[in-house]
Amino acid sequence: MITIAMAEDHQMLIDGVKSFFEYDENVNIIGTVNNGEDLVKLVLLKQPKLVITDIRMPKMDGIEATKLIKTKLPHIRVLALTMFDQPEAIKQMLDAGASGYLLKNSGIKMLSKAIVAVAEGDTFFDPNVAFNFMNDYIDKKVTIGKSEKVVLSNREKEILSLIANGKTSKEIAETLFIAKTTVDTHRKNMIRKLNLKNGNELVKYSIDMKYQF
């Protein structure tokens, strides 16, 4: 069961999401709020598996709320659901600790897909978000990885390319006809080879290298 806390200042959107998942046995929305300040309180109280948050909200925005949540409860996964596709907003949410970024105009089925992916430990980025904004956002360790000319296997390059296209481990496994655990192992190996910290940094690296394989 994926337990969810949701923050959104438009109640109509909250009502629509709750209605869609009302009879879903795998998703349980355990609380909703209309601002970031109340979101932090709700998460600390109920400790859901996943947080869905807008960015611009009253009292406290989703970026600041995500930072506080990840500081206090780092195991909780965060998915941004917003209208903002500006590079700076996406960067700030990634820095705050979000594992997914979805635009509101993507539809409820895409949201369902993102929820499952992020809750299972994957990253998820809206396919309509222009990824080339990340080219100037690769951190120092990733840059070092490139300058040292780390050699990746052909399979790792193949998986890296699919990661850059927003594919989850499950989707990559289905595309390449391999087990999801195999994909996860390749992810871990690439993180180690490239001297990265986590899966988010691997996503950033994959985007930066997208057209070089």
Side-chain angles (χ1 to χ4, degrees):
M1 173 68 70
I2 302 172
T3 52
I4 296 174
M6 182 175 180
E8 165 61 52
D9 59 343
H10 290 92
Q11 188 62 40
M12 186 179 294
L13 179 58
I14 286 178
D15 291 344
V17 172
K18 288 176 66 177
S19 177
F20 181 82
F21 290 107
E22 184 176 2
Y23 300 107
D24 191 322
E25 296 180 353
N26 298 315
V27 174
N28 182 18
I29 299 177
I30 59 176
T32 63
V33 293
N34 301 117
N35 63 75
E37 189 175 285
D38 287 344
L39 175 63
V40 175
K41 294 177 182 177
L42 175 64
V43 171
L44 291 177
L45 178 64
K46 295 195 173 183
Q47 299 196 21
K49 186 170 186 177
L50 175 70
V51 169
I52 299 175
T53 181
D54 195 359
I55 292 182
R56 181 174 292 174
M57 294 184 293
K59 295 185 180 181
M60 180 187 296
D61 64 31
I63 296 168
E64 189 61 31
T66 298
K67 288 180 183 177
L68 290 174
I69 290 168
K70 295 297 287 187
T71 297
K72 297 177 182 295
L73 299 167
H75 63 283
I76 290 180
R77 310 283 289 176
V78 178
L79 169 64
L81 179 62
T82 177
M83 288 300 296
F84 295 106
D85 60 357
Q86 292 90 344
E88 189 58 33
I90 304 171
K91 292 175 185 178
Q92 288 176 351
M93 280 304 293
L94 291 176
D95 281 342
S99 299
Y101 199 98
L102 188 66
L103 301 180
K104 291 179 181 178
N105 60 7
S106 294
I108 197 72
K109 290 185 179 179
M110 184 70 74
L111 174 60
S112 181
K113 187 177 181 181
I115 286 172
V116 173
V118 174
E120 289 183 349
D122 281 320
T123 53
F124 188 96
F125 294 92
D126 194 301
N128 294 312
V129 172
F131 286 121
N132 58 5
F133 79 88
M134 295 299 291
N135 287 341
D136 63 349
Y137 187 58
I138 306 303
D139 67 16
K140 184 177 180 182
K141 285 194 174 183
V142 177
T143 302
I144 289 173
K146 288 196 300 179
S147 66
E148 291 175 349
K149 296 181 179 179
V150 175
V151 178
L152 299 179
S153 68
N154 288 334
R155 177 63 88 187
E156 286 171 339
K157 290 179 181 179
E158 199 171 16
I159 291 173
L160 198 64
S161 177
L162 291 170
I163 291 172
N165 288 326
K167 299 291 186 181
T168 65
S169 289
K170 183 179 179 181
E171 290 171 329
I172 293 172
E174 292 172 351
T175 299
L176 300 179
F177 301 101
I178 57 178
K180 180 180 178 294
T181 53
T182 301
V183 177
D184 291 336
T185 298
H186 281 301
R187 281 179 180 267
K188 291 176 183 178
N189 288 339
M190 285 190 283
I191 289 171
R192 175 181 53 78
K193 282 185 179 182
L194 296 167
N195 194 27
L196 306 178
K197 293 179 181 178
N198 51 42
N200 281 342
E201 289 193 357
L202 182 63
V203 171
K204 297 171 191 175
Y205 181 86
S206 72
I207 294 164
D208 184 58
M209 300 297 289
K210 185 172 182 179
Y211 300 107
Q212 299 187 35
F213 293 132

